[in-house]
Amino acid sequence: MTLKEKQFVDVRSPAEFKEYALPGAVNIPLFSNEERADIGTTYKKSGKETAIQEGLKIVGPKLSDHYEKMKELKTETEGKEIVVYCWRGGMRSGSFVSTMQMLGIDCEQLPGGIRSIRKEIEYTFEQEIHYPRKYIVLSGGTGTAKTLMLEKLQLEGYPVIDLEGLANHRGSAFGQIGMQRKSQKQFELDLWQRIMELKNSSYIIIEGESRRIGDIFLPDFITEGKGSGRRLEVSLPIEQRLSVISDTYHPWKHHEDIKSAIERIKNKLTLNVYEKIIHSLERKDYRDVILLLLYHYYDPRYNHAFQKYEDTPLLIDADNIHENFRKIRNYLNYTVKDATLTPNG
């Protein structure tokens, strides 16, 4: 099944839906979070039959509203197949589909529920470890515009996996600022979809991330691919790095979040440096804050990590982003030999 070709209806509770959901899914919950918890308690204490009876009492009054929502969805999706799912493809989605079909709404149940997709994700990730792909790894200090270049490459049709974009996190102590947190399961679902899109690619381009991006753990095939991949070390002059970071984080909009992040890394700074950063932050001298963090926190940590690599990277060290991007694209076009995979081809 190609997920994007379907219109999914998720009948799980709002909390389950919020944690992760299939692409474009609409949540029409049979039970609220509290109702689902109550039904679960009833099932444990009084058994399945009693839980079903209680569930029917809750769902019955909602059927008219569910029917109207499904009618609207059918109109809005212009003939797309509607697929209904719950966790295991059991009673919630099964009873919903039966009822809607009886009322004249054409829809199908997802066999095995969203859990079946989870199993497919796990299988795919296990197989990826053995897949003979090349990995091209963009490395470089904070502010060298690696993410921007990955985004441009992806727009041009190159086989990019933007891990930070998929994780909704920039991979640092400040990485969640201005971004909405994503669950591990949602990240893995989104990563799986991208892997499916690139299944015929002989190489993949990623950024040189650590084992974690915020609270998100990367699967083994990504970390192994990074470790064995060809590294391109991106460099930019300090003034351009300052500009990239400022444009990315908009510190004037997130003053308090930046202050909180600085507090979280306080024990990794000397007292003198910490006080300088706080003083600059209080004056809203964000340029100086960024400069101090680069010199005393980010660059030393990156240089330490850089020394762990045994291979010699290809240096991408022009004095501007545009020229660095041109060098990376030339490397991909003329050095990474792949007649079956060309941009937008």
Side-chain angles (χ1 to χ4, degrees), residues 63-164:
L63 280 179
S64 177
D65 184 51
H66 292 341
Y67 173 64
E68 292 300 323
K69 288 179 179 177
M70 287 291 284
K71 278 204 307 183
E72 290 176 12
L73 189 62
K74 194 70 177 175
T75 301
E76 293 168 359
T77 53
E78 299 180 353
K80 251 188 177 182
E81 182 183 356
I82 296 178
V83 179
V84 180
Y85 69 89
C86 57
W87 170 233
R88 299 183 183 216
M91 188 169 293
R92 283 186 288 180
S93 58
S95 59
F96 186 91
V97 167
S98 297
T99 303
M100 291 301 127
Q101 288 177 341
M102 185 175 61
L103 294 172
I105 302 293
D106 186 23
C107 58
E108 300 295 332
Q109 183 185 24
L110 177 63
I114 199 171
R115 188 185 185 195
S116 67
I117 305 296
R118 285 288 304 163
K119 289 181 177 178
E120 182 64 26
I121 290 169
E122 291 167 2
Y123 174 78
T124 300
F125 287 1
E126 289 172 3
Q127 294 304 305
E128 277 293 316
I129 294 177
H130 309 293
Y131 196 81
R133 298 184 197 261
K134 300 174 184 177
Y135 275 75
I136 309 300
V137 185
L138 291 195
S139 299
T142 299
T144 51
K146 301 182 298 296
T147 297
L148 177 61
M149 286 184 276
L150 286 174
E151 291 171 350
K152 291 181 67 175
L153 287 169
Q154 185 165 334
L155 283 173
E156 293 189 10
Y158 290 88
V160 169
I161 296 181
D162 180 5
L163 295 167
E164 290 187 0

Side-chain angles (χ1 to χ4, degrees), residues 45-300:
K45 288 184 176 180
S46 306
K48 182 178 179 180
E49 289 300 320
T50 303
I52 290 174
Q53 291 173 2
E54 290 300 313
L56 288 172
K57 291 178 184 177
I58 293 171
V59 173
K62 301 179 182 181
L63 280 179
S64 177
D65 184 51
H66 292 341
Y67 173 64
E68 292 300 323
K69 288 179 179 177
M70 287 291 284
K71 278 204 307 183
E72 290 176 12
L73 189 62
K74 194 70 177 175
T75 301
E76 293 168 359
T77 53
E78 299 180 353
K80 251 188 177 182
E81 182 183 356
I82 296 178
V83 179
V84 180
Y85 69 89
C86 57
W87 170 233
R88 299 183 183 216
M91 188 169 293
R92 283 186 288 180
S93 58
S95 59
F96 186 91
V97 167
S98 297
T99 303
M100 291 301 127
Q101 288 177 341
M102 185 175 61
L103 294 172
I105 302 293
D106 186 23
C107 58
E108 300 295 332
Q109 183 185 24
L110 177 63
I114 199 171
R115 188 185 185 195
S116 67
I117 305 296
R118 285 288 304 163
K119 289 181 177 178
E120 182 64 26
I121 290 169
E122 291 167 2
Y123 174 78
T124 300
F125 287 1
E126 289 172 3
Q127 294 304 305
E128 277 293 316
I129 294 177
H130 309 293
Y131 196 81
R133 298 184 197 261
K134 300 174 184 177
Y135 275 75
I136 309 300
V137 185
L138 291 195
S139 299
T142 299
T144 51
K146 301 182 298 296
T147 297
L148 177 61
M149 286 184 276
L150 286 174
E151 291 171 350
K152 291 181 67 175
L153 287 169
Q154 185 165 334
L155 283 173
E156 293 189 10
Y158 290 88
V160 169
I161 296 181
D162 180 5
L163 295 167
E164 290 187 0
L166 292 174
N168 250 13
H169 196 288
R170 300 186 189 93
S172 72
F174 299 79
Q176 200 68 62
I177 292 175
M179 307 188 84
Q180 186 174 354
R181 192 174 299 278
K182 183 181 283 190
S183 72
Q184 180 74 31
K185 289 180 179 178
Q186 188 68 56
F187 167 77
E188 290 174 358
L189 173 62
D190 296 343
L191 174 59
W192 175 70
Q193 286 189 91
R194 184 58 178 154
I195 287 292
M196 291 295 98
E197 292 172 353
L198 301 178
K199 63 183 179 181
N200 296 323
S201 303
S202 66
Y203 74 98
I204 286 176
I205 309 165
I206 62 172
E207 187 173 341
E209 303 290 351
S210 62
R211 187 71 175 85
R212 285 175 54 179
I213 304 178
D215 295 330
I216 300 294
F217 285 89
L218 298 180
D220 290 342
F221 77 89
I222 290 289
T223 54
E224 290 193 17
K226 185 196 78 167
S228 62
R230 178 63 166 131
R231 286 192 304 121
L232 310 185
E233 181 70 18
V234 183
S235 176
L236 267 182
I238 189 64
E239 286 301 324
Q240 289 209 37
R241 293 176 67 191
L242 292 172
S243 179
V244 167
I245 294 170
S246 181
D247 291 344
T248 300
Y249 285 90
H250 303 117
W252 54 92
K253 293 182 180 179
H254 304 287
H255 183 92
E256 291 303 319
D257 290 335
I258 290 172
K259 185 175 182 180
S260 297
I262 291 169
E263 291 300 322
R264 288 195 294 273
I265 63 170
K266 180 180 179 180
N267 64 344
K268 295 180 174 65
L269 304 168
T270 66
L271 179 59
N272 181 48
V273 169
Y274 167 76
E275 289 177 345
K276 285 182 178 179
I277 292 173
I278 292 299
H279 180 62
S280 294
L281 187 66
E282 289 173 348
R283 292 186 289 109
K284 298 187 178 180
D285 184 352
Y286 298 116
R287 181 188 182 281
D288 198 47
V289 170
I290 296 169
L291 191 62
L292 287 166
L293 285 169
L294 282 177
Y295 280 146
H296 298 285
Y297 179 70
Y298 281 108
D299 284 357

